[in-house]
Amino acid sequence: MPIAESGSPADLELLAQVRRWLAADERVALVTVLQTWGSSPRPPGAWLAIRRDGAMVGSVSGGCVEQALAERYRSGELGGPFPARVDFGVDWLEANRLGLPCGGRLALMVEALSAEAPIAALLKRLEAGELVARRLCLRTGEVSLLSGVGRPDFAVDAQAVTKVLGTAWHLLLIGDGQLARNLARMARLLDYRVTICDPRDLFADPAPLADVAYCRLMPDDAVRHLGASPRSAIVTLSHDPKQDDLALSEALTSPAFYIGALGSKATAAARRERLLSLGLEPEHLDRLDAPAGIPIGSKGPAEIALSIMAGITAARNGRVDGV
């Protein structure tokens, strides 16, 4: 099953548009992907909002499912007082007709939105930097806003559908340079906030990337203040053992979901011995992906960045060893 999608900038844009529609006394249906079978272009947790006249924002399939939903909503078939489940796609013929990949199938939840206040309350908490779980009761249609800390990004059971939003995924890179810039650009395309940390004066970037944060903290301080989160990935790239070891000694005992270090196998072995001598336990070192990334025969900085970003993506999606 594809990994659930939650908390992306696209979700925030959708919510902002929904709020504008509701403020103008428009009626809106919010459609959530509950589950997928076979090949499906949108993961569980993906959202689509449909205005009564058929205007849409978001996506649940990337194909004709959206059009079919809009037509059914305009006709009054969908959008009742209680959440309703809708299935699309069964065999390859219907999947092809609906714009799904061959054999794809979607289970969707449609809920009617009529009041601006609940969406405004959610946006207010997200804008304040909170991690928020939006829980939809399937029996009553009531929506509750809970803390998202410690919850899965998306969960469905017999009572409720819960989606976590806010506190975007974060990539902390220790060490600046061409590889860091390539990694930062790729990570931004995947909706990560990115921070590049390098306290060394000689490595100060004369042309910093506009959508990337830079810091001059010592690497261990940067990890403590910026990278200690279950939604953080930390990668050391500095080629300076003093810088990298400072960051890793802090990162390996943090809740970061991915920790990687650039370097060869020989470098990785020497690093392991140094970190053990600093008091880290073997189980801490087992968390370290070194050499960082999925082996794809990388040569230049762009290919190495691709390999590392693939490793981060595999870890975020719960894949072991990139498979």
Side-chain angles (χ1 to χ4, degrees):
M1 181 187 297
I3 195 74
E5 175 178 290
S6 185
S8 71
D11 285 335
L12 302 184
E13 293 170 8
L14 179 146
L15 289 169
Q17 181 60 70
V18 167
R19 182 183 182 181
R20 289 190 289 270
W21 284 343
L22 293 172
D25 292 325
E26 300 282 358
R27 296 178 64 188
V28 179
L30 183 63
V31 184
T32 305
V33 177
L34 296 180
Q35 192 173 1
T36 66
W37 294 265
S39 297
S40 181
R42 301 292 287 145
W47 267 345
L48 167 71
I50 311 172
R51 197 170 63 185
R52 177 58 77 183
D53 64 0
M56 294 180 285
V57 59
S59 175
V60 293
S61 77
C64 296
V65 167
E66 286 84 357
Q67 295 178 20
L69 286 167
E71 290 171 4
R72 293 173 67 176
Y73 184 51
R74 283 200 303 268
S75 71
E77 183 180 345
L78 300 175
F82 301 108
R85 176 173 167 140
V86 180
D87 289 332
F88 274 99
V90 175
D91 54 32
W92 72 269
L93 287 173
E94 187 172 6
N96 184 62
R97 181 179 68 81
L98 293 170
L100 290 169
C102 183
R105 182 182 169 203
L106 295 172
L108 308 173
M109 181 62 61
V110 181
E111 59 177 298
L113 304 178
S114 57
E116 177 194 2
I119 298 297
L122 174 56
L123 282 169
K124 183 178 180 180
R125 291 179 63 167
L126 295 175
E127 289 163 359
E130 291 187 48
L131 189 65
V132 182
R134 180 183 187 269
R135 181 183 185 275
L136 170 68
C137 177
L138 299 179
R139 182 174 60 85
T140 66
E142 180 183 3
V143 172
S144 304
L145 301 182
L146 312 169
S147 171
V149 176
R151 297 177 183 270
D153 279 354
F154 186 70
V156 180
D157 58 35
Q159 288 75 43
V161 175
T162 305
K163 174 166 174 166
V164 174
L165 301 107
T167 312
W169 298 89
H170 181 222
L171 174 61
L172 174 61
L173 302 175
I174 305 298
D176 204 350
Q178 187 177 6
L179 177 55
R181 292 175 70 89
N182 285 331
L183 256 175
R185 290 190 182 100
M186 291 180 188
R188 290 296 298 139
L189 291 173
L190 296 172
D191 293 331
Y192 284 81
R193 291 186 299 110
V194 180
T195 302
I196 297 176
C197 172
D198 202 323
R200 301 170 296 180
D201 291 336
L202 290 176
F203 288 83
D205 196 332
L209 298 172
D211 56 353
V212 170
Y214 289 79
C215 81
R216 302 298 300 281
L217 294 172
M218 292 301 292
D220 52 343
D221 289 333
V223 171
R224 272 194 296 271
H225 295 297
L226 303 173
S229 160
R231 293 192 168 209
S232 294
I234 302 166
V235 184
T236 60
L237 308 168
S238 75
H239 297 286
D240 181 344
K242 295 188 295 295
Q243 302 292 326
D244 291 348
D245 290 357
L246 278 173
L248 293 172
S249 62
E250 192 71 34
L252 289 168
T253 57
S254 80
F257 77 89
Y258 176 88
I259 304 160
L262 185 67
S264 66
K265 291 183 179 180
T267 300
R271 180 191 299 113
R272 181 180 178 89
E273 294 305 314
R274 291 196 307 272
L275 292 172
L276 287 171
S277 72
L278 292 174
L280 289 171
E281 300 295 332
E283 56 265 29
H284 295 142
L285 274 297
D286 290 343
R287 298 187 61 206
L288 181 59
D289 184 21
I294 293 175
I296 58 173
S298 307
K299 303 289 184 190
E303 290 185 355
I304 295 171
L306 176 62
S307 166
I308 295 174
M309 204 66 233
I312 293 171
T313 303
R316 176 174 164 176
N317 289 355
R319 300 301 183 102
V320 178
D321 296 327
V323 298

